[in-house]
Each structure stands twice: as structure tokens, then as C-alpha cells.
Amino acid sequence: MALIPAVGFDVVPSDCLAAMLAQRLPAAQRLELAFIALGGMSPGTTKTMIEALPSGGRARINGVIRRVPTAWKTMEVPFRHGKLMAMSIPWGDVASAYYSTGIPNIEVYTSAPPTQIARMRRIRFALPLLGSWPLKTLAMEWVDRNVKGPSDEVRTTARSSLWGRVTNASGKSVSATLETLSGYHLTTLTAVAALQLSIARQVPCGFATASQAFGREFILNFPDTDIEWAA
């Protein structure tokens, strides 16, 4: 029996990117990942984010997942098509990439306009209030009224961009960008592929991350997906 969590956009492309980076710098002590998911969010994704906001951020520090403030860190990320500001978020790789790479310090970022980052930092003291039943109910009702999610056309034509960097104790680093399909479109393909490989018993028994179960370059098997290493 195999237990392989997160076989969608969260976290197949970023997990494979992390594993490929770690292969090139085996003694890395720090992993930074960032992504742009174009095309908008579905109501379900938006509700999940709202439910997570009261809990703050997460980062792996010295091998342990630690709670950190919302938008704890920011950085200018050199995505393939240009630099964008990004803020740290409690993404799945904070947990999974540790098993894929053995790297003890992991941070994940998503692109956001500077104004949005500043707003998140200003209101983060009040975010725990979203965990209360009345405010949470109001927020979910707002999502039902206002968030319709990406259209079929957007899901099949939009793109996702990822960036990653590993750094060792002496300061040497390796970085790369990964371009792939939109998050929702990619999820349907990676999840089905993961199921097919599992049914065919082409995966190890027990717990494994996506890159451990299917190989570091698993993500490169999907259409319109490629990795580019920084000079």
C-alpha cells in the first residue's frame, strides 16, 4: 500500500523542482520556492485560503515546521519572464519538500502586488478573528456571491510559473525556473497519472512524496512543461 499526498498542483511541480535542485546541490541547507498561478481562483480554493488565514504562516526552520506571521517574509523573485514581488505563505512544500530533499530550512512564496502584501501585514493582527463563526460565515457567503472561478478556456490556456533556489552552508546556490500548465488543468493530469501508476503498482510501498514516488522529473512528462537552469 502506498500513501502519496498532494498529487495536484500542490505540490507536484514544486516538489519535483525542489528535488531536481537538491540533486544539483546535495549539501543544501536552505530551499526557497515561489510560484505564480495565473487564471484566478475557484470558490473552493478561496474558501480554503480564508479558513487558513487565522492560523498564520508556516516555514520549516532547522528541520521543524514553525508558525510565523502572515506574509512573514517578502522577496523579489526572478521568474522566467521577469522579477515580481512575492510573500511567504504556508504552502504544502513546507512539509513535503523536507522528505523529498532533506533540506532543513524551507520557505514558499507566491507572487503578490506590493500593495496587497502591505495590506496583509497591516491586518494580520486581526486575521485570527476570521476563525470565529459569524465572520467566517460572512466570508464564505461573500465567496459564494463574488468568486466564480476560472472559465474552461482560462483553465486550459493559462500558465503557471515556478522558481526555486537551494543554498548550502558556504553560500553557494543553484536556481531554476519551471513553466507548466495552469494549476487546475495540471492537477487533473497529475492526479490521474498518479492514480494510474499506483494501480499499476509502479510506486513504492509506504509514504512517499510525488518526486519520491514518481521520480524527480515526473513533472516534465506533462505538456508544455520545461525547466530552465540559471547560469
Side-chain angles (χ1 to χ4, degrees):
M1 181 177 293
L3 176 62
I4 309 167
V7 293
F9 183 82
D10 186 355
V11 294
V12 169
S14 48
D15 188 61
C16 290
L17 175 58
M20 287 187 280
L21 286 164
Q23 183 187 31
R24 293 208 171 193
L25 192 64
Q29 293 296 300
R30 185 181 184 190
L31 167 66
E32 298 158 292
L33 295 166
F35 66 90
I36 313 169
L38 300 175
M41 294 188 297
S42 70
T45 301
T46 307
K47 289 180 178 180
T48 299
M49 291 180 64
I50 290 172
E51 289 184 339
L53 281 174
S55 300
R58 295 292 187 278
R60 190 176 286 274
I61 303 171
N62 296 327
V64 179
I65 297 177
R66 304 285 188 186
R67 182 171 179 170
V68 296
T70 299
W72 176 48
K73 288 186 179 182
T74 63
M75 66 182 302
E76 190 175 56
V77 179
F79 291 105
R80 189 176 303 180
H81 302 295
K83 295 181 178 180
L84 291 173
M85 287 300 299
M87 63 180 180
S88 59
I89 59 170
W91 200 246
D93 299 273
V94 171
S96 59
Y98 178 72
Y99 299 97
S100 302
T101 67
I103 296 174
N105 298 286
I106 302 170
E107 299 164 6
V108 184
Y109 296 77
T110 189
S111 64
T115 53
Q116 181 181 340
I117 296 172
R119 188 181 308 117
M120 290 294 291
R121 287 181 157 179
R122 281 198 304 270
I123 67 170
R124 62 187 176 191
F125 74 93
L127 292 177
L129 296 175
L130 277 175
S132 66
W133 179 80
L135 289 181
K136 183 177 177 180
T137 300
L138 288 173
M140 297 303 178
E141 290 176 351
W142 179 89
V143 172
D144 289 334
R145 292 193 304 270
N146 296 281
V147 180
K148 304 305 178 186
S151 65
D152 290 343
E153 181 182 1
V154 169
R155 284 196 299 271
T156 55
T157 59
R159 304 280 294 158
S160 297
S161 298
L162 297 95
W163 168 89
R165 178 171 63 193
V166 289
T167 307
N168 66 14
S170 64
K172 181 181 179 181
S173 64
V174 176
S175 61
T177 56
L178 179 74
E179 295 286 309
T180 188
L181 304 169
S182 72
Y184 295 111
H185 188 192
L186 182 67
T187 292
T188 62
L189 299 180
T190 56
V192 169
L195 179 61
Q196 290 173 332
L197 290 169
S198 299
I199 292 173
R201 298 184 182 275
Q202 297 181 26
V203 297
C205 292
F207 166 78
T209 64
S211 64
Q212 289 175 320
F214 312 121
R216 286 182 293 266
E217 297 186 357
F218 176 59
I219 185 62
L220 301 181
N221 296 322
F222 297 93
D224 301 320
T225 300
D226 69 276
I227 188 170
E228 188 174 287
W229 297 95

